[in-house]
Amino acid sequence: MTMMNLADIRKQIAEATEALAKADTELKWELAASAADVAGMVDPTPTSDLIGAGLAVRKGDWFGAGMSVASMVPYVGDALAKPAKAVRAAKKINALRETLAKMTAKLAELKKAEKQAEAAEAAAKEAKIAKEAGEAAAEKSAKQTADGQKGAAKAGKDKDCEDCGSGGGKQAGNANDGGTKGANSTVPHGFANMEEFAQFGSNMRTGLGRAGYENAEPLLQGSAVTGKSFKTGQPFDVGRLSDFDVALADPALLARAQDLGIGLRSGGTRTGPLSARDLRALGLRDLSSQMGQQAGREVNFMIYNNPATAAQRAPSVILPGKR
């Protein structure tokens, strides 16, 4: 069935339900008339034939009513009218049953389409909410970066003034170095500068689109954001090579994971870290490998229903770039 909007589907369901009820009522009247006709074959009185004629008139079947009246005539009615009525009624009853079966099947298809349309509408709303949340988070991240750069520039300028006043004779290049360090303080751990971080985000989004998940919103989480391991408290890249944890926020991707049998957590709002088997099933194994090679460290994925849920569970930074 061609995908229709929810309003059209519900209108067709109402029409199909009404038509089905009418057809069912017509079948019941036809069965009652047939029962009267059968009784008339064994009833020596014209009572059953009169009932049959009345039922035919009730249905607007004037030909059937005439045959019921003819059935009252002794011998002639039994020999001609009643057999003809029986054949006619059987054909009509069979036709009504076929019609009911087709209507019932159509109604079932419409109800199935209604559920699909409701799911699609809900997914569209979730995607809109996720997009708005992502845009807001990206705007906030950009503002924080700009504020950090301004603060770093001011700190460098103040340092120059202190050196001048003390006769230290600091070079401008050293002040610029200080400013660069301040700007980098807004860049997540594991990236040398904002350009490297931006390239990582752009490649991640491109890879998600190629895998068929162009609506997924990637967010960096874990020690790359906080600077230390959540489990051990150990600083990032101290005594070990830390990994990158990336949350993929997309209700459609989460539903796909559930369909593939990947377990959900937190009331069905997320998965755990995806295993190699999970990544292969979702078509994300190559992307994980490519991003790991670019970063020079392991890149782990976890799926959430939307960016807000991901950000509520752990400090997050939306990866830069466009879908």
Side-chain angles (χ1 to χ4, degrees):
M1 178 179 290
T2 304
M3 181 64 72
M4 298 176 288
N5 64 54
L6 192 55
D8 288 341
I9 292 173
R10 286 174 174 167
K11 181 180 178 182
Q12 289 196 27
I13 288 175
E15 292 172 351
T17 301
E18 184 179 356
L20 186 63
K22 288 181 179 179
D24 185 60
T25 299
E26 187 177 354
L27 177 61
K28 289 176 180 177
W29 279 109
E30 195 63 43
L31 289 171
S34 297
D37 291 338
V38 171
M41 292 180 183
V42 295
D43 184 4
T45 70
T47 303
S48 297
D49 294 321
L50 280 171
I51 293 173
L55 290 172
V57 171
R58 167 67 177 73
K59 296 184 296 173
D61 182 10
W62 298 104
F63 181 75
M67 293 185 71
S68 291
V69 172
S71 297
M72 298 179 193
V73 180
Y75 305 112
V76 175
D78 292 336
L80 300 176
K82 290 180 179 179
K85 283 176 63 180
V87 172
R88 184 171 178 266
K91 288 182 178 179
K92 193 166 185 180
I93 288 171
N94 288 335
L96 283 169
R97 283 175 173 163
E98 289 179 4
T99 299
L100 280 170
K102 290 178 181 178
M103 287 183 174
T104 301
K106 181 181 179 181
L107 187 59
E109 287 184 9
L110 286 169
K111 289 184 176 180
K112 181 180 178 181
E114 180 185 30
K115 290 183 179 179
Q116 292 174 343
E118 286 175 344
E121 189 174 279
K125 289 180 179 178
E126 284 285 348
K128 183 180 179 182
I129 292 172
K131 181 180 178 183
E132 291 174 350
E135 289 173 348
E139 184 178 349
K140 182 178 179 181
S141 177
K143 186 177 183 302
Q144 290 175 342
T145 299
D147 290 344
Q149 291 172 341
K150 289 179 181 178
K154 185 177 184 301
K157 184 177 180 181
D158 292 344
K159 181 65 175 174
D160 285 343
C161 291
E162 290 174 4
D163 292 335
C164 291
S166 62
K170 286 278 186 177
Q171 297 294 321
N174 289 339
N176 289 336
D177 289 343
T180 302
K181 183 178 179 182
N184 282 346
S185 65
T186 62
V187 179
H189 297 272
F191 298 97
N193 49 50
M194 184 58 75
E195 289 74 19
E196 187 176 299
F197 180 46
Q199 187 61 54
F200 182 84
S202 177
N203 291 347
M204 178 70 74
R205 291 177 180 276
T206 299
L208 286 170
R210 289 175 179 169
Y213 306 118
E214 60 276 357
N215 291 324
E217 192 71 64
L219 303 92
L220 187 66
Q221 297 185 317
S223 57
V225 177
T226 63
K228 60 182 179 180
S229 170
F230 175 76
K231 292 182 179 179
T232 65
Q234 190 173 3
F236 187 88
D237 269 358
V238 173
R240 64 192 173 99
L241 181 64
S242 300
D243 54 15
F244 282 159
D245 295 326
V246 178
L248 304 178
D250 180 14
L253 177 54
L254 186 65
R256 171 69 174 154
Q258 185 176 23
D259 289 342
L260 291 171
I262 298 173
L264 303 187
R265 302 179 183 180
S266 302
T269 60
R270 68 178 180 90
T271 67
L274 300 180
S275 65
R277 177 180 174 278
D278 298 335
L279 292 170
R280 281 194 296 270
L282 289 165
L284 294 172
R285 180 60 178 171
D286 289 345
L287 177 60
S288 175
S289 177
Q290 290 166 8
M291 299 311 298
Q293 290 176 6
Q294 177 184 338
R297 63 185 71 240
E298 186 177 353
V299 176
N300 303 310
F301 289 147
M302 183 184 295
I303 303 171
Y304 286 83
N305 59 347
N306 59 57
T309 303
Q312 287 172 0
R313 187 171 188 275
S316 306
V317 175
I318 290 182
L319 293 182
K322 297 181 179 179
R323 293 175 183 165

